[in-house]
Amino acid sequence: MCPLCRRDAGQGDGMTPLVRAEMVSVSHPGADRPVISQISMRIEPAEIVTVVGPNGSGKSTLVRALLGQVPLSSGKVERLDGLRIGYVPQRVHIERAMPMTVRRFLSLPVRVSDAQAAHVLARTGVPGLERRQIISLSGGQFQRVLLARALLNAPQLLVLDEPTQGLDQPGIIAFYQLIEEVRAETGAAVLMVSHDLLVVMRASDKVVCLNGHVCCQGTPQAVSAAPEYRALFGAESQGTLALYRHHHDHDHDHVAGGHQHSPDCGHHPQEFQA
Amino acid sequence: MLDDFMTRAVLAGLGLVLATGPLGAFVVWRRMAYFGDSTAHAAILGVAMSFAFAMPLYLGTLAVVVAMGLTVAWLSGRGQSSDTVLGVIAHSALALGLVAASFVPALRSDLETYLFGDILAIGRADLLWIWAGSLAVLGLILWRWQRMVTASVNEELAMASGINPSFERLILSLALAVIVAIAIRIVGALLISALLIIPAAAARGLSGTPERMAGSASVIGAIAVIAGLGASLALDSPAGPSIVVVAAAIYALSLVFYRRY
């Protein structure tokens, strides 16, 4: 329960998902191949869903499709009526030419009270930054300010597009801890795009591996039942590059149904059952 | 009171900087300087066409400048906003305007008036146009302030808040066109960009928030108008360029007092 707005941010209608995507495809005009094709996924209340995948696999496009920011070429996205979303976009760059205090930034585009601003800044671990200029903040501080801004409308769903870009390893771990705390306190679901696979498997309730299509998705535990899971963790010690290579030439013989796929994997998305 | 040409000049300049402060801040924040040049240079073509077709000066100029602003906005919306493309458009528009003006005998003799302005020749009708246009632009910007600032900070943040950044960009282009049209007799087509950018740039070092920067830009613009006209009177220097020179001096001075906001 948020002490300021006196709303329980996470409450959904029991089993009703916050967002449900069915066979969603998005194409850029003029491109011969869709950026993402036939994606089906759901985000339940209070769960942390992380989308992983190589560069150009359509992660940000998927997020925008779920938010309703890009037109779909097929399929449909259903969002809960009046769903409150807090959004942290990828790589926010603020022009040096624009003077902007943290306090002023929090009031864009909806003006908030000083008490609300102080509350969200304290919640994200950066209390008292109000009078600082945005451009004078460190990368970690700025990410926390962005998260604070996203928390202002007591979101039921937090959407974070590569929130730890540019942070060092301790910074990344601290940030994910913060996300989990926020989720535990507000009950908000979290949809995250991430490159930090080391932390993702520990910090997520559900992982979606994307490469234009959904290669696999499920709880980390469900995935762990599959050979692919061992491949994931085997790859983890060898760094992310090996992991992505795995995603490129994977097969799905472990998937329910036991059918094989070609390396380009042009199949319907498969969902691991927990 | 309005019988004095100096009073009319001051009033015209103050009317203009009322809107160029906030609008100039957006031009600086969004790196629209070249965009402003493209629009402003098209004004000479607008003046030539107004003379050729015996249209009212402000309406003819406004029509051409709005068309130019929309074209450039459309091009940059299609990802064509490179320096090169804008540079081509800005200077072609100016050259085309100068060529067109050479075919209009009435314009040939006082072309300079429209290139650099002639604020000392401002009449009562001009004042009406200037104040009406400036207040309209100021009202438009104040009305959409929160949305425009958010869209200027980050387009994705804006979209997630239900703001349409392309629409806000369009509004700014139109506001810019109106300002260019009403400034044509004050500082002229070549110097209006200076009056947008220099006061805003000078205000940057003295301001901690977007609002202060926009307000300070107007105040700095007003000082430049009054001091520039005074200098023009004392030194018999051209009025429009004198105003810009004072603004530039204030900018240089602001660097000395620059606080690391």
Side-chain angles (χ1 to χ4, degrees):
Chain A
M1 176 84 92
C2 173
L4 275 173
C5 51
R6 289 175 296 282
R7 265 192 304 210
D8 191 351
Q11 66 191 359
D13 304 330
M15 294 309 289
T16 316
L18 299 177
V19 179
R20 190 168 60 150
E22 260 179 59
M23 302 299 280
V24 167
S25 299
V26 175
S27 301
H28 289 321
D32 48 340
R33 241 159 36 93
V35 190
I36 52 173
S37 66
Q38 301 185 321
I39 309 275
S40 296
M41 62 178 286
R42 26 198 300 154
I43 302 167
E44 310 287 348
E47 75 172 351
I48 299 184
V49 180
T50 306
V51 180
V52 297
N55 288 331
S57 60
K59 300 187 295 291
S60 292
T61 305
L62 172 60
V63 168
R64 280 185 211 146
L66 294 176
L67 290 176
Q69 288 183 0
V70 288
L72 310 179
S73 46
S74 68
K76 62 174 178 180
V77 174
E78 286 173 1
R79 283 178 297 273
L80 200 68
D81 245 2
L83 180 68
R84 294 187 304 279
I85 296 175
Y87 180 51
V88 177
Q90 191 179 1
R91 253 171 295 186
V92 177
H93 169 77
I94 299 210
E95 282 285 337
R96 290 197 74 83
M98 185 180 239
M100 181 68 70
T101 60
V102 170
R103 177 66 189 83
R104 182 68 186 90
F105 180 69
L106 292 177
S107 274
L108 288 176
V110 181
R111 293 192 190 272
V112 297
S113 70
D114 286 345
Q116 275 173 299
H119 171 66
V120 289
L121 287 176
R123 173 57 274 179
T124 54
V126 282
L129 279 192
E130 280 95 335
R131 297 174 66 85
R132 289 276 298 278
Q133 283 290 312
I134 293 271
I135 50 171
S136 74
L137 301 180
S138 72
Q141 285 174 324
F142 185 40
Q143 283 304 336
R144 283 161 190 260
V145 168
L146 284 173
L147 181 62
R149 182 184 171 278
L151 290 175
L152 278 169
N153 69 340
Q156 294 156 292
L157 174 62
L158 266 177
V159 180
L160 311 163
D161 195 348
E162 304 203 16
T164 56
Q165 238 178 19
L167 300 190
D168 58 10
Q169 199 63 23
I172 291 171
I173 291 167
F175 192 81
Y176 279 108
Q177 270 168 0
L178 176 62
I179 298 287
E180 288 199 84
E181 282 169 30
V182 167
R183 190 266 302 259
E185 186 179 302
T186 67
V190 179
L191 172 66
M192 203 157 30
V193 171
S194 183
H195 273 300
D196 313 305
L197 292 145
L198 287 155
V199 200
V200 159
M201 289 305 274
R202 257 166 269 148
S204 310
D205 300 314
K206 191 159 77 188
V207 179
V208 178
C209 300
L210 196 70
N211 193 10
H213 58 281
V214 173
C215 287
C216 63
Q217 63 173 314
T219 62
Q221 291 85 348
V223 175
S224 75
E228 201 169 41
Y229 173 75
R230 285 188 285 278
L232 266 173
F233 275 83
E236 191 174 295
S237 55
Q238 298 159 32
T240 51
L241 193 66
L243 184 96
Y244 287 151
R245 192 172 303 127
H246 152 77
H247 279 302
H248 281 303
D249 4 284
H250 63 303
D251 61 39
H252 284 277
D253 56 348
H254 50 271
V255 168
H259 54 292
Q260 294 270 350
H261 294 279
S262 57
D264 60 320
C265 195
H267 59 79
H268 294 319
Q270 295 288 337
E271 191 164 355
F272 286 101
Q273 298 302 317
Chain B
M1 178 185 97
L2 291 180
D3 291 338
D4 179 33
F5 74 94
M6 207 58 191
T7 310
R8 290 196 301 268
V10 169
L11 284 177
L14 293 183
L16 182 64
V17 298
L18 206 60
T20 52
L23 188 61
F26 280 108
V27 170
V28 168
W29 295 333
R30 304 174 68 104
R31 296 174 178 245
M32 286 167 69
Y34 238 154
F35 185 104
D37 266 347
S38 314
T39 313
H41 289 178
I44 290 298
L45 185 61
V47 171
M49 288 178 70
S50 304
F51 270 80
F53 298 106
M55 283 195 298
L57 175 74
Y58 287 106
L59 283 183
T61 309
L62 188 63
V64 172
V65 169
V66 163
M68 189 61 166
L70 292 181
T71 308
V72 178
W74 178 71
L75 280 174
S76 37
R78 289 168 55 92
Q80 303 262 327
S81 67
S82 71
D83 263 12
T84 313
V85 173
L86 283 179
V88 168
I89 294 174
H91 298 109
S92 318
L94 181 60
L96 188 62
L98 293 174
V99 169
S102 75
F103 291 113
V104 183
L107 189 52
R108 228 183 279 183
S109 54
D110 55 5
L111 187 58
E112 213 173 294
T113 302
Y114 299 99
L115 285 174
F116 303 107
D118 191 3
I119 191 171
L120 300 180
I122 292 285
R124 287 157 183 260
D126 294 308
L127 272 183
L128 198 65
W129 276 100
I130 290 162
W131 276 86
S134 192
L135 286 176
V137 165
L138 188 66
L140 191 68
I141 291 178
L142 289 181
W143 170 45
R144 306 198 70 80
W145 182 259
Q146 283 282 86
R147 278 169 283 201
M148 282 182 174
V149 171
T150 309
S152 302
V153 168
N154 185 275
E155 299 212 333
E156 286 184 327
L157 274 182
M159 278 167 76
S161 306
I163 295 164
N164 180 352
S166 320
F167 184 70
E168 304 305 330
R169 195 183 308 132
L170 186 71
I171 298 273
L172 276 176
S173 313
L174 288 177
L176 204 58
V178 172
I179 290 301
V180 165
I182 64 167
I184 188 84
R185 297 211 57 185
I186 301 179
V187 286
L190 291 186
L191 288 177
I192 175 59
S193 274
L195 214 49
L196 284 165
I197 296 163
I198 299 175
R204 170 65 186 95
L206 314 170
S207 321
T209 62
E211 288 73 22
R212 283 191 184 198
M213 179 162 156
S216 307
S218 279
V219 172
I220 291 169
I223 295 171
V225 163
I226 293 167
L229 283 173
S232 164
L233 204 59
L235 308 171
D236 197 24
S237 56
S242 299
I243 292 171
V244 175
V245 167
V246 172
I250 297 175
Y251 170 72
L253 211 61
S254 82
L255 293 179
V256 178
F257 296 103
Y258 196 102
R259 281 176 58 189
R260 276 259 155 233
Y261 280 113

